[in-house]
Amino acid sequence: MNRPELVCPAGTPSAMRTAVDAGADAVYCGFQNATNARNFPGLNFTIPELEKSVAHAHAGDTKVLLAVNTFPPAGKVNLWKEAVDEGARIGVDAFIVADIGVADYIHKNHPEIRLHLSVQAAASTPEAIKFYCREFNVKRVVLPRILTVPEIKNMADEIPCEIETFIFGNHGLMVEGRCSLTNYITGLSTNMDGVCSPAADVQYIKDDAGNMTTKLGEFTIDCFSCDENAGYPTICKGRYLTPAHDGAYYAFEEPISLNLSTLLPDLMAAGVTALKIEGRQRSRAYVKSVVSAYRKAVDSIMAGGEPEISGLLALTEGQKETQGAFKSKTWR
Amino acid sequence: MKTQLTIAPILFHWSPEQKLDFYARIADEAPVDVVYLGEVICSKRTPFFEKHYDEVAERLTRGGKKVVFSTLSEVMLKRERNMVAGFCELEDYELEVNDSSALWHLEGKSYRIGSLMNVYNEDTMTYLVGKGATHFSLPSEMPGDSVAVLAARAKELGVTTEVQVFGRASLALSARCYHARAHGRIKDNCQFVCEQDPDGMPLNTVDKQEFLTVNGIQTLSQSYLNLLGDLAGMQEMGITHYRLVPHTQDMVAVANIFRNALDGTVSVEESMQDLSDLDIPAPFSNGFWHGQPGHQWIDQTPTT
């Protein structure tokens, strides 16, 4: 079994330092604009910040992966090319991309830098992945969170590149790169603008009885009684009504986080090369706890021991966790 | 080139009888130029209609329609991979691709790109034209000003472009079947409950506002896209094909309304009225096209 790379979120320069110091093998990050899929206020890097951060990461022998993984809308592709050129100049270790045009640009102009296929490309079959490898010399694919571990194992046998999978964090229900729910409600696109349920469109409204309604734009996403914690109004985690179901229900999924700690040995045996922790929007404390815990777990498995992970539940969304699609087909 | 009207693949799980009736009417009565056939949402539905494709394609061809087969949008299982590979061998009909799996097989062949593929910019378009793409059906969330750039590039490259102008807009795909979930089931034992909702299952907010529509693994808008008011601008941009998503409302009437509006033989106002008279069971929307929230209706009535 090869030692997998632990790939950790770096939403800010301080989060990146924290992840590096906590034992990340690689960190991933993006610039402060629409070129990456976590284009949230207060997150991400300016060019000088990335320069400094890459130097620090490299000094700690940690790789830096730059996410340029949104889909440039026609007429605006230069912003994405500039992000790529700056990343190359600064010396990032890989680009994470989803758009075919962006992949082609990197392949032609920066062939010496590794190309990783983003989860946003939604490449879910060996054929899809082989297409990107053949066309752009992709070295690693980040798999969509829709496959079971046995399916991932079969995949590993058929494709010519490395596999990265998510192991912990926020768990979107829609296939990444194939969701325009946010744009339908807010006018900002997940694919083109890198936003999902933008905070500027969120409202929390409390009534006299203490019940909390959460809204995105003009639409109510959920309604919480006074003894419930009100979750962030992400469209795919809301409660809705439909004639076929008795009362309001989580039509897609309840607020819940992915936690694959107990599946780690299986994933590693299946041929997964890199384990990804989600959470560029999360705090330094989150990064420190999760990265340290998974560092210990991976090292323990490599030494022939059991992964021991506890105390992460408090950090998960809704304090609930799932193994999502990875454990069994019954999730579907 | 005269603008062409197209019928998108049927997104919902209609019975074979309903599909046969639908295509018979389209073949004989609808002023459409291209009809896309094939199951693009759920591979479990395919056995029900597979045996009818030859007959339907022939009938549509006899009716003067060009038939294009459209591939599955989410491909995971071996069976689904084989389905896509099989379609890529098709020689008598053109293929519309909805997942990058197909691109692996189509090396050296020509094909169309479906609206569930992510072609958002001129670089991606140019690259795919170099790989054999001849026609692009664009994602429905794209704003008109970006589509204009793509339409111009398509013209330079000698390929054609298509935009959905009617019907519920596809908003998301998932691995999970939300139809099954609403009925307390999972995808593997779904018992085809999606059959109960031939225009999709409504999802409303807890305060009873109309919101989304569920169709198996797909989530759509509850509103119907209606770009009647934007057709003139689209024609100016050089959009060549105009896509109608099939619903249970009278699609021959819908096709006539859009054909007349494209030809300018009926005014926009009158066309809007004709469409409203069809009792569409949801509000209209055109926000995406205008760079606004997709559910919105931006009034296009010219001020005099």
Side-chain angles (χ1 to χ4, degrees):
Chain A
M1 196 155 62
N2 290 321
R3 188 173 186 275
E5 197 173 276
L6 195 57
V7 182
C8 305
T12 60
S14 68
M16 190 187 289
R17 277 195 302 278
T18 304
V20 169
D21 297 344
D25 297 307
V27 289
Y28 62 101
C29 57
F31 284 121
Q32 280 175 1
N33 56 35
T35 61
N36 80 95
R38 284 286 184 279
N39 180 23
F40 301 162
L43 279 197
N44 298 319
F45 293 70
T46 62
I47 291 168
E49 282 170 352
L50 190 64
E51 279 173 340
K52 261 178 86 175
S53 302
V54 167
H56 174 259
H58 284 173
D61 214 14
T62 303
K63 291 178 190 137
V64 178
L65 320 178
L66 184 67
V68 192
N69 61 344
T70 40
F71 296 86
K76 296 179 181 166
V77 293
N78 278 343
L79 186 66
W80 277 254
K81 291 177 180 172
E82 285 162 22
V84 164
D85 292 340
E86 282 302 330
R89 187 183 60 75
I90 291 168
V92 300
D93 299 278
F95 293 110
I96 308 171
V97 299
D99 181 64
I100 285 177
V102 175
D104 184 44
Y105 180 78
I106 296 170
H107 183 229
K108 288 202 176 103
N109 294 281
H110 304 288
E112 72 288 358
I113 302 179
R114 280 169 62 97
L115 206 51
H116 293 185
L117 190 63
S118 172
V119 69
Q120 305 290 330
S124 57
T125 66
E127 289 76 25
I129 295 162
K130 286 192 291 185
F131 168 77
Y132 285 99
C133 292
R134 178 180 75 195
E135 302 299 317
F136 311 115
N137 194 23
V138 162
K139 296 292 189 200
R140 178 186 294 176
V141 59
V142 186
L143 288 182
R145 283 170 261 200
I146 62 179
L147 302 170
T148 62
V149 175
E151 285 169 347
I152 292 172
K153 167 131 190 29
N154 290 337
M155 181 79 85
D157 294 339
E158 285 197 60
I159 60 173
C161 70
E162 302 167 1
I163 290 180
E164 180 170 313
T165 59
F166 282 92
I167 52 168
F168 189 86
N170 187 16
H171 189 236
L173 264 294
M174 303 309 180
V175 180
E176 286 93 343
R178 310 190 87 173
C179 177
S180 36
L181 289 171
T182 289
N183 195 4
Y184 185 65
I185 302 309
T186 69
L188 288 171
S189 161
T190 305
N191 276 352
M192 294 182 278
D193 301 304
V195 297
C196 172
S197 296
D201 290 275
V202 166
Q203 276 181 280
Y204 292 88
I205 303 161
K206 203 173 200 169
D207 71 11
D208 296 341
N211 301 313
M212 183 78 88
T213 298
T214 58
K215 292 185 91 161
L216 186 68
E218 298 166 27
F219 295 89
T220 296
I221 303 303
D222 210 338
C223 195
F224 300 87
S225 61
C226 49
D227 57 351
E228 289 178 300
N229 282 325
Y232 190 83
T234 308
I235 300 167
C236 62
K237 309 239 173 104
R239 275 182 284 202
Y240 305 103
L241 298 168
T242 195
H245 197 282
D246 206 11
Y249 75 117
Y250 292 108
F252 307 105
E253 178 64 290
E254 56 191 300
I256 200 162
S257 285
L258 186 73
N259 184 357
L260 300 189
S261 55
T262 58
L263 288 180
L264 278 186
D266 297 344
L267 284 169
M268 287 159 66
V272 172
T273 333
L275 305 166
K276 185 168 208 152
I277 295 168
E278 189 275 344
R280 281 197 277 152
Q281 71 285 12
R282 303 296 297 265
S283 68
R284 270 171 61 196
Y286 167 94
V287 171
K288 189 173 178 191
S289 310
V290 179
V291 174
S292 309
Y294 273 96
R295 175 76 279 152
K296 256 170 77 180
V298 170
D299 291 347
S300 159
I301 296 167
M302 289 311 295
E306 290 289 314
E308 266 184 55
I309 294 201
S310 52
L312 291 183
L313 195 61
L315 294 168
T316 58
E317 186 180 12
Q319 283 81 56
K320 284 184 194 150
E321 56 186 30
T322 177
Q323 294 178 323
F326 290 84
K327 178 81 176 168
S328 153
K329 285 201 301 173
T330 58
W331 181 83
R332 293 171 189 160
Chain B
M1 182 180 173
K2 186 177 186 280
T3 55
Q4 302 213 348
L5 210 51
T6 76
I7 297 280
I10 295 169
L11 298 174
F12 308 101
H13 187 36
W14 293 2
S15 69
E17 297 71 33
Q18 196 174 1
K19 285 185 179 176
L20 287 169
D21 287 349
F22 173 75
Y23 286 123
R25 269 202 84 202
I26 293 294
D28 297 345
E29 301 171 45
V32 304
D33 305 282
V34 183
V35 179
Y36 295 91
L37 296 179
E39 173 61 48
V40 299
I41 301 302
C42 179
S43 64
K44 286 185 69 178
R45 299 171 180 169
T46 51
F48 295 99
F49 200 66
E50 240 161 8
K51 61 171 185 260
H52 299 294
Y53 280 135
D54 284 342
E55 157 198 356
V56 167
E58 223 168 89
R59 172 128 194 204
L60 286 163
T61 308
R62 262 189 286 127
K65 277 72 176 163
K66 182 184 180 67
V67 170
V68 178
F69 278 90
S70 205
T71 68
L72 202 58
S73 56
E74 184 180 86
V75 187
M76 293 196 296
L77 310 174
K78 186 77 189 157
R79 168 169 52 91
E80 296 166 347
R81 291 165 59 197
N82 290 342
M83 262 176 67
V84 171
F87 272 119
C88 293
E89 297 294 317
L90 210 63
E91 281 177 355
D92 298 339
Y93 297 99
E94 271 192 60
L95 199 63
E96 181 187 67
V97 167
N98 285 308
D99 174 88
S100 47
S101 303
L103 298 178
W104 167 257
H105 299 290
L106 291 167
E107 175 81 351
K109 298 186 181 172
S110 64
Y111 50 86
R112 296 178 173 222
I113 294 286
S115 57
L116 297 171
M117 287 279 289
N118 285 349
V119 176
Y120 283 97
N121 59 68
E122 59 275 39
D123 287 6
T124 297
M125 175 180 271
T126 304
Y127 189 83
L128 288 172
V129 169
K131 304 304 295 180
T134 58
H135 178 88
F136 292 83
S137 187
L138 301 172
S140 46
E141 70 160 330
M142 282 201 76
D145 54 4
S146 296
V147 172
V149 176
L150 278 176
R153 175 62 65 91
K155 227 191 262 176
E156 289 166 25
L157 294 166
V159 298
T160 44
T161 45
E162 178 164 341
V163 172
Q164 183 187 336
V165 293
F166 175 82
R168 291 191 158 134
S170 179
L171 299 178
L173 298 175
S174 173
R176 177 177 269 182
C177 176
Y178 302 126
H179 243 114
R181 182 173 167 84
H183 290 262
R185 303 184 168 277
I186 59 167
K187 197 172 175 183
D188 276 357
N189 69 6
C190 67
Q191 295 185 5
F192 300 98
V193 287
C194 54
E195 190 173 46
Q196 299 170 13
D197 301 298
D199 288 303
M201 181 186 91
L203 218 48
N204 299 326
T205 64
V206 289
D207 44 9
K208 302 191 175 60
Q209 199 175 359
E210 292 179 341
F211 191 34
L212 301 170
T213 300
V214 162
N215 173 38
I217 62 155
Q218 182 187 38
T219 305
L220 303 102
S221 61
Q222 196 160 140
S223 64
Y224 278 48
L225 283 185
N226 168 5
L227 298 188
L228 271 173
D230 302 291
L231 294 178
M234 295 165 92
Q235 291 182 86
E236 241 164 76
M237 287 176 193
I239 304 292
T240 52
H241 292 62
Y242 297 79
R243 189 175 185 105
L244 312 174
V245 163
H247 284 281
T248 54
Q249 288 81 48
D250 185 347
M251 291 302 295
V252 171
V254 171
N256 276 310
I257 291 166
F258 275 86
R259 185 69 265 167
N260 291 336
L262 280 167
D263 293 343
T265 52
V266 176
S267 72
V268 172
E269 294 72 27
E270 212 177 314
S271 303
M272 285 289 189
Q273 191 54 55
D274 291 345
L275 199 62
S276 300
D277 290 346
L278 293 180
D279 289 329
I280 309 287
F284 290 131
S285 63
N286 59 6
F288 280 142
W289 183 259
H290 295 278
Q292 300 298 316
H295 71 90
Q296 286 185 4
W297 175 252
I298 314 290
D299 197 359
Q300 291 295 287
T301 319
T303 44
T304 44

